[in-house]
Amino acid sequence: MPPIPGSGLAKGLAVTLRTMTKKTVTEQYPEHQPELPPRTRGVIGLFEENCTVCMLCARECPDWCIYIDSHKETVPPAAPGGRERSRNVLDRFAIDFALCMYCGICIEVCPFDALFWSPEFEYAETDIHELTHERDKLREWMWTVPTPPALDPAAEEPKELAAARKSAEKLAAAEVAGAAEAKGEESS
């Protein structure tokens, strides 16, 4: 049976009328901040103290939007008679958010936990060239990074902690055995 002419228009008007009678749910954005999900990807925050200038984040970035400059610095020996060491010192760390596609690869590959997702999303600029944010701005965003969720108490212990505890127990047992041996030699 062919459709009645004008039935599509009537259905469309019915939907419009139903929508017009419902209460609107528009949030007045600048006055009321939105409720963000806990793992929101806003911008990338930099924890500068953990950065060793290994350049993994810049190399793995598919957009090449991370700019890192550094210089080598000589560190005096930790113990007398030791040798001097050299280490990289971070001079510049910048991310061009005009190029960034927010994939998170840089955060995943960072072996020293220097990069984190911050839920900040209000970083608009009037000029696209001002979207390259330097390390001082990235550091400010670091303080807005939410704390990670608590670990599951039923989860197994990480392998790194288990290995560290095992070596600490061996070291403590060796010290106790050495002290007992020394005490046995003194008494004889």
Side-chain angles (χ1 to χ4, degrees):
M1 179 166 190
I4 301 170
S7 65
L9 178 66
K11 285 181 183 178
L13 286 173
V15 170
T16 304
L17 287 172
R18 269 197 313 267
T19 306
M20 285 176 59
T21 59
K22 290 183 181 176
K23 186 178 185 237
T24 60
V25 290
T26 303
E27 291 187 29
Q28 302 301 322
Y29 164 62
E31 293 84 29
H32 302 285
Q33 292 294 321
E35 192 78 23
L36 298 173
R39 296 186 57 169
T40 299
R41 287 185 176 189
V43 291
I44 298 168
L46 171 68
F47 191 55
E48 200 172 325
E49 287 78 15
N50 286 358
C51 184
T52 60
V53 196
C54 65
M55 305 280 199
L56 275 174
C57 55
R59 278 188 294 219
E60 294 296 323
C61 179
D63 289 333
W64 291 78
C65 65
I66 299 175
Y67 310 110
I68 301 174
D69 292 329
S70 68
H71 69 275
K72 291 218 182 262
E73 191 175 85
T74 305
V75 179
R83 68 181 186 103
E84 292 182 338
R85 307 245 181 221
S86 66
R87 69 180 181 104
N88 287 329
V89 177
L90 186 64
D91 292 329
R92 178 180 186 226
F93 193 105
I95 299 177
D96 187 354
F97 286 104
L99 295 175
C100 183
M101 63 182 190
Y102 304 92
C103 62
I105 292 174
C106 57
I107 295 169
E108 290 176 23
V109 300
C110 182
F112 302 104
D113 287 336
L115 298 173
F116 294 90
W117 280 117
S118 167
E120 289 294 312
F121 62 92
E122 298 171 321
Y123 57 97
E125 300 288 346
T126 55
D127 184 15
I128 195 168
H129 296 100
E130 294 175 9
L131 280 173
T132 301
H133 294 292
E134 298 291 331
R135 68 181 182 181
D136 57 337
K137 186 68 173 175
L138 299 175
R139 183 161 182 77
E140 285 177 30
W141 286 328
M142 184 61 212
W143 307 122
T144 63
V145 172
T147 56
L151 296 175
D152 183 8
E156 68 180 52
E157 184 179 42
K159 294 175 189 164
E160 296 87 355
L161 289 178
R165 183 183 302 99
K166 205 178 276 186
S167 65
E169 288 171 357
K170 281 183 183 176
L171 186 63
E175 286 178 1
V176 168
E181 234 177 73
K183 197 170 197 173
E185 289 177 5
E186 286 178 7
S187 63
S188 46

